[in-house]
Amino acid sequence: MAEFQEDMLFKNVADQDAHILLDIMGIKSKDVKVWTKELTQIDPTTYKPDLILELDDENLIVEFQSTRVGDGFSRRALSYVAITGQHKDNGKDVNLSVLSTVEDSKTVEYKYNKLNSFKYEVIGLNNLRGSEIINNVETKLKNKEIPSSRDVILLALVPLSKKGKNIAEYIYRVIKIFYKLKNLSVSQLELALGILS
């Protein structure tokens, strides 16, 4: 999958799907409002953040990364936080979390001048239990049960969380299952197909 395609994955996430992504990330919030599209960019050449959510206690920018975070990414992410902070009208802090397919979970601290640093969380997807997720969905389909939205999103993330020679097997199994799934919402379908493209 091309890096640009991966950066586009969360552009059309619906509010209900955002709850599932937050759950995967271990973040709790009663209310979630997606407002990525409402952000007015100061510089139209700047990339847009993948996903901006207004939560109970914060505005959270979620970025999807298929490469290691470094100073270049941190500079871009800091600009997202700054621009979002300028445009917020709800008085909540602006924070950033990264969903990564190549790194373990960690906290990154980027020192951008001698007095200040910028911190954000990286959440590694390599902790997902791919076989367990696939088996769960296959079992539900065998039993004529409808997989939940969470099941569908986790299933779509499985190939991204795996490295090495078994990746082809995971992709094949996931695509095979997606052909059997019916009644997906448009946002789930876009997210799943975007991930699998």
Side-chain angles (χ1 to χ4, degrees), residues 81-194:
V81 171
I83 292 169
T84 303
Q86 285 181 325
H87 289 77
K88 71 178 181 179
D89 59 3
N90 57 22
K92 298 174 185 176
D93 288 344
V94 178
N95 294 304
L96 172 90
S97 288
V98 176
L99 284 172
S100 176
T101 61
V102 295
E103 294 188 89
D104 292 329
S105 297
K106 64 182 179 179
T107 300
V108 174
E109 182 172 6
Y110 169 65
K111 190 170 173 89
Y112 60 93
N113 64 33
K114 65 181 181 180
L115 297 175
N116 299 293
S117 62
F118 168 54
K119 291 183 181 179
Y120 57 92
E121 297 295 321
V122 173
I123 296 138
L125 291 176
N126 54 356
N127 298 330
L128 291 178
R129 296 185 179 110
S131 294
E132 186 178 307
I133 292 166
I134 291 171
N135 291 338
N136 176 47
V137 174
E138 286 176 335
T139 300
K140 285 185 176 182
L141 289 172
K142 245 183 232 176
N143 295 332
K144 307 244 189 278
E145 296 174 32
I146 298 172
S148 68
S149 294
R150 177 181 168 77
D151 293 332
V152 171
I153 290 172
L154 283 171
L155 181 67
L157 290 171
V158 165
L160 297 179
S161 68
K162 301 299 166 199
K163 299 170 190 71
K165 57 185 175 184
N166 292 338
I167 186 71
E169 176 191 338
Y170 280 108
I171 291 171
Y172 174 75
R173 287 181 71 191
V174 168
I175 289 173
K176 193 173 162 187
I177 292 169
F178 266 101
Y179 277 118
K180 297 177 186 176
L181 291 176
K182 295 179 172 73
N183 302 323
L184 294 180
S185 71
V186 172
S187 62
Q188 289 172 336
L189 191 57
E190 285 180 351
L191 179 60
L193 292 176

Side-chain angles (χ1 to χ4, degrees), residues 26-41:
I27 298 171
K28 302 289 182 209
S29 181
K30 181 181 172 192
D31 296 316
V32 176
K33 178 185 174 192
V34 176
W35 55 283
T36 310
K37 293 174 191 170
E38 296 171 20
L39 180 67
T40 304
Q41 294 289 328

